[in-house]
Amino acid sequence: MTGPNDTVCVNSTEAAADNAAALTRYYRWHARLYDATRWSFLFGRAALIGSAAQLPDPPRHILEIGCGTGDNLLRLTRQFPDAELTGLDLSADMLARAQRKLAKRPMPVTLRQQRYDRPLSPEPAFDLIVFSYCLSMINPGWRQVLDSALRDLRPGGRLAVVDFHDTRFPIFQRWMAVNHVRMNGHLLPNLNAHCAPLLQTTSAVYGGLWRYFRFIGQKRDE
Ligand SMILES: C[S@@+](CC[C@H](N)C(=O)[O-])C[C@H]1O[C@@H](n2cnc3c(N)ncnc32)[C@H](O)[C@@H]1O
């Protein structure tokens, strides 16, 4: 039997699948330019990993969701040489680049090609989960992804997130939406609602064209 809520649910599931398919197509082309271009606007990535490394109790099991071409995984191998690392991404084109980059590292990194929309296992397995410029692209579905990540985090585990925050310029917001990015300050309040913040910063770039944020939070006790 179905009702109005089921219809909404089916529609949003389909919309989330459409979003994933659109991102897969988008990165088929953008993977080629990614490393050459993204340094100029995906700010705060190295600083996020650096801040995570300064906290006590280093994580032993780390997951990056939406790891793309693997730059953060590379940073994580340097900051946490004893940790087990997993990178997950829906785009085979992005992961192929990550694989090449990580091949020469002494410690193995597990790479998984899949869309993340549910917990990876019934038991939480990670001490640190990283999202770097990923959540702002999951529209719809970012709430479900965040909930799933919290379920994949061990008690006391940490979530480290860097992403676009907001912009005062509607035309820029629309341009970012064309590039699959939602930029209207929706992520930070939700992160705060689910995790006790250990680090939280917002920074303006390019004369205030947009702000990005860095957040590290500890999973709250259930
Ligand atoms: C802007 S890139 C960021 C890549 C990397 N984290 C970085 O900071 O350079 C966003 C990545 O998230 C991936 N992605 C988006 N939604 C995803 C999902 N639901 N599951 C897995 N990967 C996803 C995309 O394929 C893309 O590689």
Side-chain angles (χ1 to χ4, degrees):
M1 193 158 53
T2 57
N5 288 342
D6 299 318
T7 311
V8 169
C9 186
V10 169
N11 287 345
S12 65
T13 304
E14 279 175 8
D18 287 349
N19 170 249
L23 290 179
T24 304
R25 284 195 301 277
Y26 181 80
Y27 282 113
R28 195 162 294 153
W29 297 104
H30 281 265
R32 301 168 195 201
L33 309 169
Y34 193 88
D35 287 339
T37 54
R38 271 21 179 216
W39 61 270
S40 62
F41 55 99
L42 300 187
F43 299 112
R45 294 179 291 173
L48 179 78
I49 308 292
S51 301
Q54 281 166 17
L55 294 171
D57 302 326
R60 295 185 50 229
H61 299 274
I62 305 176
L63 169 68
E64 184 182 2
I65 297 170
C67 63
T69 61
D71 279 357
N72 290 321
L73 293 173
L74 210 50
R75 294 180 183 113
L76 288 163
T77 62
R78 292 185 189 124
Q79 296 283 5
F80 302 104
D82 299 324
E84 255 180 46
L85 277 167
T86 303
L88 178 155
D89 203 287
L90 53 76
S91 162
D93 300 274
M94 296 290 267
L95 278 180
R97 282 162 168 83
Q99 196 157 28
R100 285 204 287 277
K101 219 173 269 178
L102 294 161
K104 295 194 188 89
R105 300 303 301 168
M107 61 192 278
V109 176
T110 304
L111 294 178
R112 296 173 63 148
Q113 189 207 339
Q114 68 181 86
R115 170 180 160 213
Y116 186 85
D117 60 352
R118 67 198 66 186
L120 292 184
S121 63
E123 292 303 316
F126 297 99
D127 310 301
L128 174 66
I129 297 183
V130 177
F131 285 102
S132 167
Y133 289 98
C134 176
L135 282 172
S136 61
M137 300 193 88
I138 305 177
N139 304 301
W142 61 270
R143 272 180 209 276
Q144 188 181 337
V145 164
L146 200 51
D147 285 350
S148 302
L150 289 164
R151 284 163 60 190
D152 268 331
L153 262 190
R154 288 185 169 149
R158 290 168 188 155
L159 212 54
V161 185
V162 57
D163 216 320
F164 295 110
H165 185 47
D166 60 7
T167 175
R168 289 182 285 127
F169 301 96
I171 193 167
F172 184 65
Q173 197 176 40
R174 284 199 292 277
W175 167 245
M176 292 306 282
V178 169
N179 287 283
H180 303 283
V181 173
R182 180 175 167 197
M183 198 193 262
N184 64 348
H186 58 298
L187 295 173
L188 208 43
N190 272 277
L191 290 167
N192 271 292
H194 293 291
C195 297
L198 304 172
L199 166 93
Q200 183 164 203
T201 64
T202 54
S203 311
V205 293
Y206 292 128
L209 182 57
W210 75 85
R211 290 191 299 168
Y212 71 91
F213 72 85
R214 287 187 295 132
F215 176 90
I216 301 178
Q218 192 138 25
K219 180 177 173 171
R220 293 188 202 278
D221 290 340
E222 280 154 15

